[in-house]
Amino acid sequence: MTTAAPGYTDSYLGDQHAGQLARLRTLECAFDPQSQTVFDQLNLPCKPDILDLGAGAGSLTGWLTQRYPDATVTATDIDTRFLTDIPGIKVLTHNAVTDDFPMASFDVVHARALLCHLPQREDILKRAITWLRPGGWLVIEDVSLQPSLKTSHPLFRKVAQAGITLLTKSIGSDMLWADTLPARLRDRGLSNVGYRLYEGRIGDNSPADTFWASTTVQAGPALLKLGLLTQDDLEAMTHLRADPTFTDTALTFVSAWGQAPERG
């Protein structure tokens, strides 16, 4: 999930944060099952070239090498510290904002929890399509926090809005962008566009709940520093999440994919 956005690597989501690897593991636990389901339905060549762009802690990259043992799997990130011990992959330090690949390099280009945090997301989406071979697949997966803005619980809505504001101001994230992914892939000329949605809840001890809580804890000092929340707000939210009568939808994980046209 590490990205090249100005402000990201120095933010509370940067890989230099002491708790970042543990937080990324909660993300993987929450979202790997859907990502794997998406790949299982793609029709790929016998020896595909797969790019995992902004591979984060690398659990999906490692799974890809097992799912496609004859594939060449390239994992990139602006900070590759969590990728170096994964066997069977090519690791490349790569800035998605500024660094390119030759045209028609890959049979699959995948990015997860990446583009929503990059203000240059539309340009990256356009360039990523050129990296595909004819008939190759672009798979974009991202988180939308739209459900948390619709909650009827005032404290949860306050905490959610504070988190969105923090991400927008400090990183340039767009935490509603994922809702438009299928339409954006169609608009870019991809065919056979499909999508899957995963509803992540809090207060139910699910993997999504753990991911939400881990991210909120890591964001706590920044939220306090900017005056977006108080310590009382954070403590009250912790108690609310632990209340056995409370559960609510916090996020939607959107997976969208489309196929590059045959050229010529």
Side-chain angles (χ1 to χ4, degrees):
M1 190 173 170
T2 306
T3 74
Y8 189 100
T9 53
D10 295 326
S11 76
Y12 71 95
L13 294 180
D15 285 355
Q16 81 288 343
H17 193 285
Q20 178 68 347
L21 180 57
R23 191 188 72 85
L24 289 176
R25 294 302 184 207
T26 68
L27 181 153
E28 293 170 339
C29 186
F31 303 141
D32 272 7
Q34 175 155 310
S35 298
Q36 293 168 8
T37 297
V38 169
F39 269 92
D40 280 339
Q41 67 187 23
L42 299 181
N43 184 18
L44 300 185
C46 295
K47 297 181 179 181
D49 283 294
I50 302 173
L51 171 64
D52 195 11
L53 189 67
S59 68
L60 186 65
T61 309
W63 177 84
L64 288 169
T65 65
Q66 299 174 30
R67 174 64 177 81
Y68 305 101
D70 294 323
T72 299
V73 180
T74 301
T76 75
D77 212 298
I78 197 170
D79 186 335
T80 60
R81 72 182 72 186
F82 302 140
L83 301 172
T84 55
D85 294 330
I86 301 174
I89 68 171
K90 294 173 60 177
V91 177
L92 180 65
T93 301
H94 179 271
N95 185 326
V97 174
T98 59
D99 298 338
D100 234 324
F101 287 100
M103 290 184 63
S105 294
F106 302 102
D107 298 294
V108 182
V109 174
H110 171 263
R112 182 174 72 179
L114 174 71
L115 297 188
C116 68
H117 294 305
L118 296 173
Q120 304 87 349
R121 59 187 67 86
E122 295 296 337
D123 176 65
I124 297 170
L125 192 65
K126 179 180 179 181
R127 289 189 292 115
I129 292 173
T130 71
W131 303 339
L132 290 170
R133 292 170 181 157
W137 293 93
L138 180 67
V139 182
I140 306 295
E141 303 184 290
D142 251 318
V143 174
S144 168
L145 297 183
Q146 182 75 256
S148 63
L149 298 179
K150 297 179 178 179
T151 179
S152 61
H153 198 288
L155 174 61
F156 177 34
R157 186 167 59 253
K158 180 180 181 180
V159 173
Q161 183 60 70
I164 291 172
T165 300
L166 175 62
L167 285 164
T168 302
K169 289 186 174 181
S170 63
I171 300 173
S173 305
D174 182 347
M175 299 312 300
L176 307 181
W177 182 78
D179 296 324
T180 68
L181 270 173
R184 291 182 184 278
L185 297 190
R186 292 189 190 98
D187 291 345
R188 292 292 185 184
L190 298 183
S191 62
N192 299 316
V193 172
Y195 68 94
R196 290 177 62 93
L197 305 178
Y198 164 72
E199 180 184 90
R201 299 183 67 82
I202 64 169
D204 62 354
N205 293 314
S206 65
D209 173 65
T210 304
F211 167 64
W212 187 92
S214 176
T215 302
T216 302
V217 167
Q218 197 159 305
L223 290 166
L224 295 174
K225 182 177 180 180
L226 293 179
L228 296 172
L229 292 176
T230 66
Q231 187 63 43
D232 287 344
D233 292 329
L234 292 174
E235 292 176 0
M237 189 65 222
T238 299
H239 291 308
L240 176 64
R241 179 173 159 266
D243 186 336
T245 67
F246 171 77
T247 184
D248 208 340
T249 306
L251 58 88
T252 304
F253 181 59
V254 183
S255 302
W257 59 90
Q259 197 166 23
E262 298 290 340
R263 297 187 176 97

